Structures are given as C-alpha cells and as structure tokens.
Amino acid sequence: METRVRYAPSPTGLQHIGGIRTALFNCLFARSKNGRFILRLEDTDRTRSEDCYVQNLYDTFNWLGFKWDEGPDDGGSYAPYIQSERSALYKKYAQQLLDNDHAYYCFCSAERIEKVRHEREAAHSSETGYDRHCRSLDSNEAKKRAAAKEACTVRLKIPLGETTCFHDHLLGKIEWKNDDVNPDPVLLKSDGFPTYHLANVVDDHLMEISHVLRAQEWLSSTPLHVIMYKCFGWTPPEFCHLPMVMGQDGKKLSKRHGATSIDEFRRQGYLPDALINYVALLGASYEEGSDAKHPDIYTMEELAKRFNLDKLNKAPAVFDYKKLEWYNGQYIRMKTDEELAHLCLPYAVKTGLFNNLTEAQRDIDTEEEKSKEEKPTARQREIFIAAMALVKERLVFLNEAPEKIAYLFKEPQIPAVEEFIPKKSNLANTIELLSYAQEIIKPLTEMLDDTQAENLIKTEAEKRNVKPGDLLMPLRVAITGSRISPPLFGSLRILGAQCSAERIKRALEKVTSDI
C-alpha cells in the first residue's frame, strides 16, 4: 500500500513551530517511503478562518523550501483539498450514520445547553459535555422535524459502557473508556458545515491516508475518531502522536518563550535551512555519518533518507533557542559572500543602510543610481558584498549585518576622546599614533593580504617604539567609530585610501581639540 500522509492545518492563525514540525515530519516520512505528502486545509471553523492565514501558509512553505505533492494549489486525484469545498460529502456521510443509527438529530438550542452547564456548576456536578437529551427522541419524529427545517445538529451516538482500543506507533496500545469520550459530539452543525471530527475522518478515509502523524495534543480525539471509523465500517490509518515541543521551563511552547510564528523567525534573520535542520531534531534522532562537515547538520535529502518512526522519542522535545542560533550561525558561514549579501540585502534596505553614502564613494555612480534611495547603487552593492567577508564569522542573525557594517556606508559618529586612548597611554601619545597611522594609511589600503598589512604595522610600530596593538587601536576607532568592529584591514581595503584618510583627519581634529 502506498504511504500517504497529510498536513491538515486550520487557517485560523499564523504558521508556528509546532505546526511546521508536524508538516516536516510528515514530509520526511513520505519521502523516506517514496510516498505522497498532502496538504489539506481544514477550514470548517468559518468564524475564525481567514484568507490571510491561508496566504501565510503558502508564504511560509515557499520560504522554508519544502512542499506537498498534492494540495489546494497543486491539485491531485483526491481534490478538492479544501474542506469548505467538500460540504456535500460530509452531509452524505452524516446521513449514512443517521441511517445506520450511529447518529441522531439534536434540536437543543445553545441557550438550553448553556443552562444545563450552569445548573451542573451550581450543583458541583462532575458531569461535562452534552447531556444526550435528544438521544432518546423517536427517530421518525426527529426526521420529520429535521425535514421541516427545524434548527438542528447531527450528533454521533457514542456506544456506552465499552472501551475503545487502538495502536499508536510511538505510544503503543491505547485503551480509552467510551464513557470518558466527549459525550455524543456534534458532527454536522446547524448551518450544514461539518465539525473537525467528521470532516477529518471522512477526508482521511477518502484520501486514502495511510498514516496520521500529528501532535500528542490530539491524542484525546483519537478514540472518538476510531469509534467513527468503526461506525462507518472503515479501517483506521496507523496513528503516531508526535512528542510535544516544550519551552525550557517544561511548559508547552508559546509566545511567552519568544518567537514561535515562522514570520517572527524570518523577521529576526533566521535561515530556512537552519530552522528546518533544528526543527527536524525536535523529538527525533538520525543516523550518524552525515556527509556534511558537522554530524548534526543535514540537508533535506539526508533527513528524508534517515527519517524513521522508530527513532522518534516519547519524551517531549525542548526548544532551545541557543542551539537554534548555533545552527543559524553555521548555515550563515556556509554561504558564499554573494549568497549572504543576497540574504542580508532586504534587512539593509529596510534599515536605510544605503541612503548615506559619502560623496567620495558616490563619485563613480551615475545620476540615475544616486536617485535610488531604497535600493543600493552599483558601488554600494559592491561594498555590501565585500563587507560580507568581514562579518560572516560574527553573524548569528541576518538582520545583524546592517548595523555591523554601517560604518562602511556613512561616517561613523566620532566617540569620546577616551575611546581613542590605548590602555596605559595618554592623549599626547594617541595624537602621535593617529599621525603615524595617517602616514601609512595608503599602503595599508592597497595591501590585498592581511598578513602583509600586519607585517607593515609591526614594522612601523618597531620604528616608533610602540606596541602594534597601540598603533591599531586609535586607527580602528577613527575608521569604524568603535573599539570593537569587524576586521580592520578588510575595512580599510573597502573604504579606500581617500575615505580612510578623511576619517583619520576628523579623528585627529577631535582629539586635538581637547588639548
């Protein structure tokens, strides 16, 4: 039998880590079995489903870079894949349950059900859910009332006094007393729309879903679904309820733990490959021997090749942001300078990085390029790509790049004089050090190799009887505006002799004004 699995989100919110982990595991399992991965939109909650959330789903998976084999946007042999377009099917199968005495019409109003709930609370009753008031109605009378268009729902008739058993691939044999199952749940609402339970079971059967991989929070719904399969006379799919994803405080991952929607991770500058790699490890283990440089770094193809339901963990997975940050840094460093520049560019444009190029840098640009305030000019793009080599080893997130290299695009603010002065030195010596730097700045910017530049600094420092570090420190502050910055020699090469000399001159004017 062909392996067929599905990701069936409800478009009532943004895509989040838990949902993406479920989708990823289903996709990897399908790929590992040469099966099919299906997307089905379960939009039966008409009050909360919104088109913007559907678009968010598509945008999220386009960004992540993995996709389904069948779905609303791709079609397939089991279309339509949107539940709101399958209403006639659900009515048909609800009627089948009614005809076979596995379901009944319920004419209870929302007000009556609410009244019963309040009465139970007042009596401190342990009973919950529907009181099965309409279960004993004469079926012929109920049919007449329904045919007369009296407002009603269709409820499943849960067999009482029995136990429902099913096997879960991860958790083993599960036994559930029917008396503990949601009492006679609604299958078809008064507006004709199905509830999640009816649509889910009907669609999984009709779409020939072989395995249902979903979060453990759905475990309590499974006995109800198994009862429905039995009522229909269908064979249930194999169930595998995936381990929960928890925060480090041991509670279910939520917004209080930080970013959980994929949009937030994207805005913060995570790479999709890093997110996929890390999420794939949440609750699953993989064989050793990845072809990558690090044993915990896998491509999507490697993950699919190694994915195995038997390697899932029963215990909840803990989402560790520090570990994810490590993965993000690793994937950033795997990029070429051009690739990294392409990824960082949207963040740079958004922060206005390219709006303040000095005239010395603009002199080769055309008037048309100068008029573009949002996108980089040809010269700015050249500087931006070159700057990636300076920050690649220092980046954790893509959105950090603009701030780290801002000094390459506009004059940095000159800091307090104290920032220029090396440890155990003084202002007079610092002025001399900046003067020395001014003399050697042109050859420094022309050296293509850092080793050559270091040797020049050592030679000049020995001539003047100063430490190389003391000579470099005020130069670094003059060029970058900070004692801590990306590599200085690379920065000098990008800025060029003229721009670098102007910055040293400004720094000298600043420090000498305090004498």
Side-chain angles (χ1 to χ4, degrees):
M1 182 176 74
E2 182 183 43
T3 296
R4 290 178 58 82
V5 295
R6 47 66 167 180
Y7 176 51
S10 173
T12 56
L14 301 174
Q15 293 297 298
H16 55 85
I17 285 295
I20 292 304
R21 201 276 300 264
T22 297
L24 180 59
F25 278 13
N26 275 279
C27 180
L28 294 176
F29 181 61
R31 300 288 180 265
S32 72
K33 300 293 185 181
N34 293 317
R36 305 283 287 177
F37 171 45
I38 294 100
L39 172 70
R40 185 173 73 227
L41 293 183
E42 298 194 339
D43 61 342
T44 55
D45 187 344
R46 305 306 295 164
T47 60
R48 297 172 57 218
S49 296
E50 295 186 27
D51 290 341
C52 63
Y53 296 132
V54 176
Q55 188 60 50
N56 174 258
L57 183 146
Y58 292 141
D59 291 345
T60 295
F61 281 90
N62 283 336
W63 179 69
L64 289 171
F66 74 95
K67 209 167 184 294
W68 39 88
D69 302 302
E70 303 170 26
D73 57 338
D74 287 335
S77 302
Y78 301 84
Y81 293 89
I82 301 176
Q83 287 185 337
S84 60
E85 299 175 6
R86 299 169 65 85
S87 297
L89 283 171
Y90 308 132
K91 292 177 181 178
K92 170 187 172 182
Y93 285 100
Q95 186 62 52
Q96 180 178 318
L97 292 176
L98 286 165
D99 293 342
N100 295 330
D101 197 31
H102 292 305
Y104 59 91
Y105 291 110
C106 175
F107 300 92
C108 292
S109 65
E111 290 76 17
R112 181 195 175 275
I113 292 174
E114 186 68 10
K115 179 182 177 183
V116 170
R117 186 179 70 81
H118 285 305
E119 289 174 350
R120 284 173 172 173
E121 288 178 354
H124 302 289
S125 172
S126 61
E127 291 182 291
T128 59
Y130 182 57
D131 63 355
R132 298 187 171 95
H133 176 73
C134 291
R135 181 165 172 150
S136 58
L137 289 177
D138 179 78
S139 60
N140 289 326
E141 180 64 25
K143 287 179 184 177
K144 290 179 181 178
R145 292 172 65 179
K149 305 299 181 182
E150 184 175 344
C152 63
T153 61
V154 174
R155 290 184 179 272
L156 181 68
K157 188 180 287 187
I158 298 290
L160 301 178
E162 299 181 12
T163 298
T164 296
C165 300
F166 61 94
H167 181 268
D168 183 275
H169 192 97
L170 182 62
L171 304 176
K173 183 179 180 180
I174 304 291
E175 295 185 354
W176 209 288
K177 292 182 179 180
N178 285 6
D179 291 348
D180 295 330
V181 174
N182 183 11
D184 293 5
V186 173
L187 300 181
L188 208 62
K189 293 177 279 189
S190 59
D191 61 2
F193 269 89
T195 60
Y196 160 77
H197 302 294
L198 176 63
N200 181 277
V201 169
V202 169
D203 286 346
D204 280 351
H205 174 73
L206 295 182
M207 293 181 181
E208 299 186 10
I209 300 302
S210 62
H211 297 73
V212 171
L213 278 60
R214 59 188 179 192
Q216 284 186 15
E217 63 191 77
W218 294 105
L219 183 63
S220 61
S221 296
T222 308
L224 168 57
H225 295 172
V226 172
I227 289 171
M228 292 176 65
Y229 277 105
K230 186 176 180 180
C231 290
F232 280 120
W234 298 336
T235 300
E238 182 170 349
F239 295 101
C240 182
H241 288 88
L242 306 173
M244 299 288 284
V245 181
M246 317 295 280
Q248 291 187 308
D249 58 0
K251 298 180 180 179
K252 183 181 175 182
L253 191 68
S254 66
K255 286 188 175 182
R256 70 175 176 272
H257 298 105
T260 55
S261 78
I262 305 305
D263 277 359
E264 290 179 61
F265 286 101
R266 189 174 180 180
R267 282 193 294 268
Q268 288 182 15
Y270 284 92
L271 290 169
D273 292 345
L275 199 60
I276 287 174
N277 196 149
Y278 180 66
V279 169
L281 300 176
L282 292 174
S285 58
Y286 299 80
E287 296 175 358
E288 296 292 332
S290 167
D291 298 329
K293 294 180 180 179
H294 194 284
D296 290 331
I297 293 180
Y298 300 94
T299 64
M300 190 70 174
E301 291 73 22
E302 288 176 314
L303 288 168
K305 181 180 178 181
R306 291 166 169 78
F307 188 83
N308 190 323
L309 292 182
D310 293 334
K311 290 185 177 292
L312 296 179
N313 304 319
K314 290 185 180 180
V318 177
F319 195 91
D320 185 343
Y321 280 89
K322 290 297 181 184
K323 188 67 173 177
L324 175 58
E325 289 174 12
W326 179 86
Y327 273 100
N328 209 52
Q330 295 300 309
Y331 275 93
I332 283 175
R333 283 174 263 298
M334 291 180 193
K335 302 297 181 184
T336 65
D337 293 348
E338 289 77 10
E339 290 171 338
L340 185 56
H342 175 75
L343 292 168
C344 292
L345 186 61
Y347 301 97
V349 171
K350 186 175 181 180
T351 59
L353 181 67
F354 306 114
N355 296 345
N356 293 291
L357 200 63
T358 65
E359 286 305 312
Q361 292 168 315
R362 282 186 180 274
D363 58 6
I364 65 169
D365 293 329
T366 66
E367 287 300 319
E368 182 180 355
E369 286 173 323
K370 288 181 183 180
S371 67
K372 297 176 183 177
E373 293 185 358
E374 289 148 11
K375 295 182 180 180
T377 64
R379 174 58 179 152
Q380 287 173 322
R381 186 179 293 275
E382 180 184 328
I383 293 172
F384 192 67
I385 293 173
M388 294 300 104
L390 304 183
V391 296
K392 186 183 293 185
E393 296 297 323
R394 297 163 179 254
L395 291 181
V396 176
F397 307 108
L398 298 176
N399 65 359
E400 296 174 329
E403 182 179 359
K404 288 184 181 296
I405 62 175
Y407 68 93
L408 295 173
F409 293 87
K410 60 182 178 181
E411 295 280 359
Q413 185 175 354
I414 300 177
V417 171
E418 291 75 18
E419 292 296 305
F420 290 89
I421 303 174
K423 190 176 180 180
K424 296 181 181 180
S425 188
N426 55 49
L427 181 56
N429 289 339
T430 300
I431 293 172
E432 287 186 5
L433 292 171
L434 280 171
S435 299
Y436 298 156
Q438 197 171 36
E439 295 173 12
I440 60 172
I441 196 64
K442 189 173 187 302
L444 276 177
T445 60
E446 295 173 350
M447 289 180 174
L448 302 179
D449 183 87
D450 282 359
T451 302
Q452 289 180 316
E454 288 171 3
N455 290 335
L456 177 60
I457 289 293
K458 288 177 183 178
T459 299
E460 293 300 322
E462 287 176 3
K463 282 183 187 178
R464 293 163 172 79
N465 197 28
V466 297
K467 296 177 181 179
D470 287 352
L471 180 56
L472 283 173
M473 204 267 282
L475 174 59
R476 179 183 301 277
V477 176
I479 296 299
T480 69
S482 174
R483 290 188 174 205
I484 301 172
S485 73
L488 177 60
F489 298 138
S491 301
L492 292 172
R493 286 193 290 270
I494 292 173
L495 290 170
Q498 181 179 344
C499 183
S500 299
E502 288 175 356
R503 293 190 180 187
I504 297 172
K505 180 181 177 182
R506 287 178 63 236
L508 273 169
E509 291 172 352
K510 170 71 174 180
V511 297
T512 54
S513 67
D514 279 22
I515 294 178

